[in-house]
Amino acid sequence: MVEEGKISSGIVDVQTTSNRGFTPEEVAARCLDRIVKVSESAPPVIKDQALAYKENLRQVLTHYMREAIQSDRTTVYNALLNAGQQKLAENIRRL
């Protein structure tokens, strides 16, 4: 972060997977940790409302990430078909 010639350090969070990419649920959780922060000292009513909002947003994010994945696969499928790679396109379609 840079502010008028000053540099401050942020917190670095590293997450990895083994032999796979991140699932939509995992990406949504990482995203939500950046968007919604709930203080441990918040009044219970406010905390409950914020956590309910976060859970609702998790479901929405996961749904639209799955749609984006399918849309991208359709794009790749069509690009492969247009390149004359029918077998490879069919393999992508089956994912």
Side-chain angles (χ1 to χ4, degrees):
M1 294 179 233
V2 179
E3 183 181 321
E4 295 184 31
K6 296 179 183 178
I7 298 175
S8 63
S9 62
I11 296 173
V12 176
D13 182 27
V14 177
Q15 296 179 350
T16 62
T17 62
S18 183
N19 297 318
R20 65 176 179 84
F22 288 100
T23 66
E25 292 80 9
E26 291 166 338
V27 174
R30 291 173 58 205
C31 182
L32 283 168
D33 287 343
R34 300 287 307 236
I35 294 173
V36 179
K37 306 247 187 235
V38 183
S39 172
E40 290 297 322
S41 62
V45 162
I46 301 295
K47 190 174 181 179
D48 290 346
Q49 185 179 24
L51 292 174
Y53 171 74
K54 188 174 183 177
E55 181 53 35
N56 183 289
L57 189 53
R58 176 186 323 277
Q59 293 172 13
V60 170
L61 285 170
T62 301
H63 170 79
Y64 283 101
M65 279 188 236
R66 288 185 188 285
E67 279 194 9
I69 290 166
Q70 279 306 122
S71 181
D72 186 61
R73 287 186 183 156
T74 298
T75 299
V76 171
Y77 170 82
N78 286 318
L80 289 169
L81 277 181
N82 291 336
Q85 299 293 323
Q86 288 80 11
K87 285 185 181 182
L88 188 53
E90 190 57 31
N91 287 337
I92 293 296
R93 188 191 64 78
R94 289 185 200 153
L95 288 178

